[in-house]
């Protein structure tokens, strides 16, 4: 009687994209951009979008060409058993590593901004615990939960954006080009992996109702995420100016501390739950992907049983950095530089191989 | 697979051990992980059961001799048959079982009539069965023609017993190896009354009563469709409780019907008194906080669901119906939503949604904010709160828990109290207790407001099951907020959200049609204009998806 068969539709897929990738704007990802290019950070986002356009386009092409196969199958098929294994392993490592850094950052946000007295360990455990529960349940339910909460999350986000734009100063946007065009070009190329998570969405294609869902979802999500990202960066700069924003580690959370909502002067706790829901779902999805990749590497069919082990591993790795406020941002920056080539060139390599093998003509 | 293995091995210990060994050394561990975990769980369970097992004398089983006897056919000798039935019914002692011997006029044959007088229409038996037989003078007429009501024949003892137990009249004639059965059942019950639990202001007020036939008639009154099927099955072995499946043949999904029928056929119980008990046998998630079968006492609501392709279960002794499958929205909705004008209907939907959130979260949010996020409260309010809290000796979590439990007690007490004393509970509970608790510095006034608001809001959730769900869920939320502030609250909320999306009721996702979406029925939080509700819910896979007739 179950007529969904575990497949997710366009709404759920879109919700996953918006929540997993859109939430990035609320952590310390923007900080490094502001650091390097000053007030022109929002232009970098547009350029990043343009840079990422090509790999995402090629990826979509590939996935549409190989219907009923997800990115893992495609990689194995095009690159062979051994190179394929290596590539997937590389992707799994980077993915898991990014969960470690991101979750450590998020736990740190919760600890430094909201629960100052609570030991980091407990916040971290709860954060990953909930995420692991979701990941264990499966993609279908992460998608459904994401869709149900999406409307609320978006309303909250736009309230923040509108309030901060209203309460910010337009003059602060200048100088428009920040630290100069060369710097903008360099940074946007090097940080393109901020949108690199679109690559991971290729792994769940077989769980979607059709490749059409994938195509539509990817593009709508891509445009939406880039726009929101840009708007958020503009609103941060309008609120704090480029000098002080460099010193803020978590601009989103400083923003919701800064803005006022009518008679409520401190609204950060009002927006905290929405941000938390998004974060939980985000890590659920990442954990799911991590388990999926690991399962694909070592031929484990019921990979959702791997989730608890991976989650525990992540907690212990994430607790290693001391003084996370300083360490994590460096780690993240280096990570972004390292993964950008993978994100930019892997789809290209795959596409060229497919072309050479003559499999795209079908 | 697990079940079959479990049964076939009948779980003797050595067998289990053997299975473990094969699992271990067969190298198929990964494939059989599920089975392995299951067996491991069973082993632990058995160990603990053994540890605490009480010795008891062997229980007696009912005589099987009787059961064998019932499978036989009746004798053609009237005396023998009567002897048998007297024995079965334990007659001289069983006071309302009537056996009446007569001689049929004209044919000159001895006959006997068995009825249970308390559940049959004696006047009808007297006038339409016994009297025509007595006054007959025609020698050639057959017995069936003598009786004016329709007559059935039965020859197996078991079947005859069922008929008698249903209040029907059985006529045994000497020399004939079968009994004549005349419908004369007349069970006592109340008449159709107003719905008491699902009250509406605008719209029909009728409710189901304890007689299944009346309930079916109430539904048929609303759906005059020849495709409306009322199937009946016996679901219990001893009490022989009848269950009626009501659905529309060319709408309801075949697979769903078979699924439910299989589930009903697999029941092996002596007696299921009513639908409320049956509900537990049918549900997939018995331990879950969320109900998966809708329970309604309103025939209009049941008919609405039938017309959408749902299946309704009716039973004698149940002033209600079970509707399956059920989604979260069917619990959230109320029939009045559609009876009120479009905007008003949606207004009460918003109110209900608000009530749901307030009941669930208000006390938890209070705890979270006052304990962890004090900066959120405007300064003046903060001062007001702290000045009232100053004299209260308990932490706010204890304070709220105390009052919440008190409220639940008043509620439960108020429900069970005999009617004449009812108003007293209200006065004592609400006024004196609350007022005195504040004056005695046990709780602060703000907490009384919070708990009262939460409690009152919970009444806006009309469905009994969902009401309990929400009321019970409040406590975990409260505690999580007490432990971890808004972080804990949100963590639990996310877990709930993930859990709710994963529940299935007879294969239908719990939040359908919101997610997974199928763009058919759009009646979730807000209702659409009735003329725009063009489709039946697609998640049921109805045979006819469009609601419009013809064209």
């Amino acid at each position: 009687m179950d007529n969904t068969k575990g497949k997710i539709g366009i709404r759920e897929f879109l919700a996953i994209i918006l929540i997993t990738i859109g939430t990035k704007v609320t952590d310390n990802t923007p900080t490094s951009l502001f650091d390097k290019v000053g007030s022109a950070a929002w232009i970098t986002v547009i350029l990043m979008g343009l840079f990422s356009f090509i790999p995402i386009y090629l990826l979509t092409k590939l996935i549409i060409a190989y219907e009923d196969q997800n990115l893992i199958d495609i990689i194995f098929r095009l690159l062979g058993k051994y190179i394929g294994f290596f590539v997937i392993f590389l992707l799994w490592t980077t993915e898991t590593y990014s969960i470690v850094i991101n979750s450590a950052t998020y736990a740190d946000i919760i600890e430094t901004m909201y629960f100052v007295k609570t030991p980091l360990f407990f916040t971290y455990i709860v954060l990953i615990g909930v995420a692991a529960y979701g990941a264990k349940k499966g993609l279908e339910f992460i998608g459904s939960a994401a869709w149900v909460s999406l409307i609320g999350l978006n309303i909250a986000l736009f309230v923040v954006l509108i309030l901060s734009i209203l309460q910010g100063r337009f003059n602060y946007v200048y100088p428009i080009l920040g630290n100069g065009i060369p710097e903008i070009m360099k940074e946007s190329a090097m940080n393109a992996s901020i949108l690199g998570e679109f690559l991971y969405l290729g792994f769940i294609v077989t769980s979607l109702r059709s490749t059409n869902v994938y195509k539509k979802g990817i593009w709508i999500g891509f445009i939406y995420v880039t726009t929101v990202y840009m708007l958020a960066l503009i609103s941060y700069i309008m609120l704090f100016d480029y000098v002080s924003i460099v010193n803020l580690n978590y601009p989103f959370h400083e923003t919701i501390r800064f803005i006022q909502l009518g008679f409520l002067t401190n609204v950060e706790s009002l927006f905290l739950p929405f941000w938390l829901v998004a974060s939980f779902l985000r890590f659920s999805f990442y954990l799911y992907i991590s388990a999926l990749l690991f399962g694909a590497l070592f031929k484990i069919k019921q990979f959702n049983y791997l989730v608890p082990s991976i989650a525990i591993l992540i907690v212990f790795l994430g607790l290693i950095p001391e003084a996370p406020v300083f360490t994590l941002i460096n780690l993240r920056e280096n990570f972004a530089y390292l993964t950008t080539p993978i994100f930019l060139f892997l789809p290209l390599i795959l596409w060229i191989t497919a072309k050479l093998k003559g499999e795209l003509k079908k | 697979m697990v079940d079959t293995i479990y049964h076939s091995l009948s779980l003797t210990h050595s067998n289990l051990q053997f299975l473990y060994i094969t699992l271990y050394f067969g190298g198929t561990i990964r494939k059989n992980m599920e089975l392995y975990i299951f067996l491991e769980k069973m082993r632990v369970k058995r160990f603990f059961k053994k540890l605490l097992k009480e010795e008891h004398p062997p229980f007696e089983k009912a005589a099987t001799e009787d059961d064998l006897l019932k499978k036989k056919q009746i004798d053609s000798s009237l005396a023998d048959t009567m002897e048998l039935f007297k024995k079965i019914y334990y007659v001289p002692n069983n006071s309302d079982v009537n056996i009446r011997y007569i001689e049929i006029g004209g044919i000159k044959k001895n006959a006997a009539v068995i009825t249970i007088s308390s559940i049959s229409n004696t006047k009808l038996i007297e006038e339409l069965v016994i009297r025509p037989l007595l006054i007959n003078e025609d020698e050639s007429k057959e017995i069936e023609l003598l009786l004016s009501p329709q007559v059935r024949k039965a020859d197996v003892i078991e079947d005859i017993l069922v008929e008698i137990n249903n209040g029907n009249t059985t006529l045994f004639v000497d020399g004939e190896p079968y009994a004549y059965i005349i419908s004369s059942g007349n069970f006592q019950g109340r008449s159709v009354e107003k719905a008491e639990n699902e009250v509406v202001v605008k719209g029909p007020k009728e409710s189901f009563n304890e007689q299944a036939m009346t309930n079916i008639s109430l539904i048929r009154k609303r759906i005059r469709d020849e495709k409306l099927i009322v199937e009946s099955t016996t679901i219990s072995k001893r009490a022989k409780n009848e269950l009626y499946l009501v659905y529309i043949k060319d709408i309801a999904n075949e697979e769903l019907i078979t699924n439910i029928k299989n589930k009903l056929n697999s029941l092996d119980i002596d007696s299921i008194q009513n639908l409320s008990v049956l509900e537990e046998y049918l549900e997939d998630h018995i331990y879950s906080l969320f109900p998966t079968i809708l329970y309604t006492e309103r025939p209009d609501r049941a008919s609405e669901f039938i017309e959408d392709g749902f299946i309704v279960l009716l039973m004698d002794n149940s002033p209600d119906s079970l509707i399956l499958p059920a989604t979260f929205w069917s619990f959230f909705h109320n029939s009045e939503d559609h009876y009120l004008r479009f905007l008003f209907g949606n207004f009460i939907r918003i109110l209900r949604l608000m009530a749901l959130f307030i009941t669930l979260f208000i006390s938890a949010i209070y705890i979270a904010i006052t304990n962890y996020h004090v900066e959120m409260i405007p300064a003046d309010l903060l001062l007001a709160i702290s000045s009232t809290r100053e004299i209260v000796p308990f932490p706010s979590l204890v304070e709220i828990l105390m009052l919440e439990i008190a409220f639940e007690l008043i509620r439960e007490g108020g429900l069970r109290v005999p009617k004449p004393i009812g108003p007293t509970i209200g006065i004592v509970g609400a006024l004196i207790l609350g007022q005195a608790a504040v004056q005695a510095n046990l709780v602060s006034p703000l907490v009384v407001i919070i708990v009262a608001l939460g409690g009152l809001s919970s009444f806006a959730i009309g469905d009994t099951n969902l009401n309990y769900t929400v009321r019970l869920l409040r406590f975990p939320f409260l505690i999580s907020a007490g432990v971890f502030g808004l972080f804990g609250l949100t963590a639990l909320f996310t877990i709930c959200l993930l859990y709710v999306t994963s529940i299935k009721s007879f294969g239908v996702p719990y939040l359908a049609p919101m997610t997974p979406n199928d763009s058919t029925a759009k009646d979730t939080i807000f209702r659409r204009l009735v003329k725009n509700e063009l489709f039946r819910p697609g998640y049921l896979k109805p045979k006819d998806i469009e609601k419009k007739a013809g064209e």
Side-chain angles (χ1 to χ4, degrees), chain B residues 66-356:
Chain B
D66 230 27
D67 288 341
L68 283 174
L69 185 81
K70 284 177 192 166
K71 299 270 179 239
K72 282 185 188 161
Q73 296 192 337
I74 55 167
D75 229 12
S76 57
S77 147
L78 183 66
D80 286 358
T81 316
M82 281 304 104
E83 207 52 49
L84 184 76
F85 275 90
K86 270 184 186 165
K87 200 180 138 203
I88 291 175
Y89 275 110
Y90 199 46
V91 151
N93 301 40
N94 207 346
S95 60
D96 62 344
V97 177
N98 282 352
I99 300 181
R100 184 160 170 195
Y101 293 97
I102 50 172
E103 197 194 40
I104 302 171
I107 316 172
K108 299 263 190 276
K109 269 185 179 173
N110 281 328
V113 175
I114 302 185
T115 54
I116 301 179
S117 59
S118 53
I119 54 172
S120 50
N121 190 340
T122 36
K123 205 173 166 195
L124 180 136
I125 298 166
E126 203 62 50
E127 280 180 11
L128 300 180
V129 181
I130 295 174
R131 200 210 269 259
L133 291 176
L134 287 177
I135 59 170
N136 178 43
E137 282 168 4
D138 194 342
E139 281 174 35
S140 59
K141 233 180 185 176
E142 279 181 46
I143 289 175
E144 273 161 290
L145 298 175
L146 284 176
L147 304 167
S148 46
Q150 211 195 343
V151 174
R152 299 189 295 279
K153 280 181 187 172
D155 53 3
V156 182
I157 294 177
E158 201 175 24
D159 299 342
I160 298 171
L161 290 175
V162 169
E163 297 290 349
I164 300 176
N165 292 344
N166 281 335
N168 295 338
T169 310
T170 31
L171 171 70
F172 297 92
V173 181
D174 199 19
E176 289 181 13
Y178 42 77
Y180 298 95
I181 298 182
I182 304 108
S183 301
S184 62
N186 180 28
F187 288 90
Q188 299 305 316
R190 56 182 179 132
S191 54
V192 177
E193 281 164 23
K194 263 191 175 182
E196 274 180 4
N197 301 327
E198 296 168 56
V199 187
V200 298
V201 178
K202 195 180 165 194
K205 311 273 189 299
E206 278 170 341
S207 84
F208 286 132
N209 68 11
E210 281 82 355
Q211 277 161 309
M213 280 305 146
T214 319
N215 298 349
I216 294 167
S217 139
L218 285 175
I219 290 177
R220 282 216 189 263
K221 187 170 91 178
R222 286 169 174 82
I223 310 171
R224 317 256 168 125
D225 183 357
E226 69 279 3
K227 288 285 160 66
L228 178 70
I229 309 287
V230 181
E231 246 182 90
S232 81
T233 39
T234 311
I235 48 166
S236 61
K237 299 279 177 313
R238 198 177 261 275
K240 305 261 186 328
N241 301 104
E242 280 291 291
L243 178 84
Y244 300 90
L245 266 93
V246 189
Y247 56 92
I248 295 181
K249 186 77 187 163
D250 53 358
I251 294 178
N253 180 280
E254 211 61 60
E255 205 185 326
L256 178 66
I257 298 171
T258 354
N259 185 356
I260 290 165
K261 275 189 197 160
N262 286 343
K263 213 159 195 182
L264 290 171
N265 289 338
S266 67
L267 294 176
D268 183 25
I269 309 122
D270 266 355
S271 148
I272 296 177
Q273 275 305 324
N274 50 45
L275 286 172
S276 321
V277 181
L278 181 71
E279 194 181 347
E280 195 176 304
Y281 286 110
L282 291 180
E283 263 188 316
D284 287 330
H285 311 269
I286 298 167
Y287 293 113
S288 166
L289 265 180
F290 292 87
T292 48
I293 297 178
L294 179 65
Y295 181 92
T296 180
E297 58 170 5
R298 299 185 59 85
D300 51 326
R301 195 135 195 250
S303 325
E304 213 174 284
F305 276 106
I306 293 173
E307 282 175 328
D308 273 348
F310 289 80
I311 291 172
V312 167
L313 304 184
L314 293 170
M315 221 172 130
D316 265 321
N317 306 318
S318 316
D320 39 55
S321 58
L322 288 185
I323 297 170
L324 32 114
T327 63
F328 174 78
W329 307 110
S330 49
F331 296 101
F332 177 71
H333 294 164
N334 183 326
S335 44
E336 193 154 15
D337 301 348
H338 275 84
Y339 296 151
L340 287 176
R341 294 186 62 235
F342 174 68
L343 285 177
F344 308 161
N346 277 327
F347 173 63
I348 61 170
R349 284 262 175 101
I350 297 175
L351 285 183
R352 201 171 310 131
L353 191 70
M354 266 168 60
L356 188 77

Side-chain angles (χ1 to χ4, degrees), chain A residues 73-127:
Chain A
D73 307 326
I74 297 176
I75 289 176
F76 272 122
R77 183 169 165 170
L78 289 176
L79 301 180
K81 209 170 156 192
Y82 299 104
I83 304 177
F85 184 87
F86 174 73
V87 170
I88 301 269
F89 188 76
L90 194 69
L91 286 174
W92 178 72
T93 333
T94 49
E95 213 269 341
T96 314
Y97 183 63
S98 94
I99 305 178
V100 174
I101 301 179
N102 281 321
S103 60
T105 312
Y106 277 59
D108 184 54
I109 292 174
I110 295 165
E111 207 221 32
T112 51
M113 305 294 285
Y114 302 97
F115 292 87
V116 188
K117 289 180 199 155
T118 317
L120 183 66
F121 179 70
F122 292 107
T123 11
Y124 209 161
I125 283 279
V126 173
L127 178 70

Side-chain angles (χ1 to χ4, degrees), chain A residues 41-241:
Chain A
W42 62 276
I43 300 177
T44 2
V45 176
I46 301 176
L47 287 177
M48 256 187 305
L50 290 179
F51 278 121
S52 320
F53 182 82
I54 302 158
I56 294 174
Y57 176 75
L58 293 178
L59 206 62
T60 320
K61 265 257 140 95
L62 274 173
I63 279 162
I64 290 169
Y66 295 93
E67 225 164 312
D68 302 329
Q69 281 184 319
N70 64 22
L71 194 54
I72 300 170
D73 307 326
I74 297 176
I75 289 176
F76 272 122
R77 183 169 165 170
L78 289 176
L79 301 180
K81 209 170 156 192
Y82 299 104
I83 304 177
F85 184 87
F86 174 73
V87 170
I88 301 269
F89 188 76
L90 194 69
L91 286 174
W92 178 72
T93 333
T94 49
E95 213 269 341
T96 314
Y97 183 63
S98 94
I99 305 178
V100 174
I101 301 179
N102 281 321
S103 60
T105 312
Y106 277 59
D108 184 54
I109 292 174
I110 295 165
E111 207 221 32
T112 51
M113 305 294 285
Y114 302 97
F115 292 87
V116 188
K117 289 180 199 155
T118 317
L120 183 66
F121 179 70
F122 292 107
T123 11
Y124 209 161
I125 283 279
V126 173
L127 178 70
I128 293 297
V130 174
Y133 178 79
K136 175 95 183 12
K137 280 264 168 198
L139 183 70
E140 203 190 336
F141 309 123
I142 301 174
S144 289
W147 171 249
V148 172
S149 48
L150 186 68
I151 299 160
L153 301 185
N154 267 317
I155 291 173
L157 179 65
F158 276 99
V159 168
V160 172
L161 287 184
I162 290 166
L163 281 179
S164 51
I165 287 176
L166 286 181
Q167 285 167 27
R169 281 190 183 191
F170 192 69
N171 300 355
Y172 286 171
V173 175
Y174 299 104
I176 278 204
L177 290 178
N179 293 353
I181 295 173
E183 201 65 28
I184 295 177
M185 295 300 282
K186 194 181 115 201
E187 281 305 310
S188 45
M190 285 173 85
N191 279 308
S193 72
I194 288 180
L195 294 169
E197 268 134 22
F198 278 100
L199 192 66
Y200 299 132
L201 296 170
F203 297 129
I204 56 167
V205 176
T206 37
S207 307
L208 302 181
R209 286 198 193 150
S210 68
T211 42
N212 202 23
V213 167
Y214 177 79
K215 204 169 98 184
K216 267 203 304 194
I218 282 279
W219 291 119
I220 299 174
F222 180 66
I223 292 164
Y224 189 92
V225 166
T226 330
T227 321
V228 165
Y229 212 115
M230 197 184 73
L231 282 178
L233 292 192
I234 294 176
S235 74
Y236 296 158
I237 204 88
M238 278 173 68
L239 208 59
F240 296 112
D241 199 7

Side-chain angles (χ1 to χ4, degrees), chain B residues 482-541:
Chain B
V483 174
F484 241 124
L486 282 177
F487 182 48
L489 191 64
T490 323
L492 190 61
F493 174 72
T494 315
I495 288 179
C496 277
L497 198 62
L498 285 164
Y499 175 69
V500 166
T501 52
S502 71
I503 302 175
K504 289 206 166 115
S505 163
F506 295 87
V508 172
Y510 206 49
L511 288 182
M514 185 185 244
T515 169
N517 188 285
D518 51 21
S519 316
T520 45
K522 294 201 172 90
D523 194 10
T524 53
I525 293 178
F526 296 111
R527 86 166 173 91
R528 302 287 185 273
L529 284 174
V530 178
K531 65 167 184 183
N532 289 345
E533 289 181 347
L534 297 178
F535 297 106
R536 301 202 162 82
Y539 50 83
L540 289 174
K541 280 190 174 172

Side-chain angles (χ1 to χ4, degrees), chain B residues 366 370 374 377-392 399 443-447 449:
Chain B
Y366 172 79
T370 50
V374 188
I377 313 170
D380 295 342
L381 184 60
L382 187 64
L383 285 176
I385 295 174
S386 59
S387 66
T388 53
R389 284 241 344 114
E390 206 173 31
I391 36 176
V392 178
E399 200 184 335
V443 291
S444 60
L446 189 69
V447 167
I449 297 175

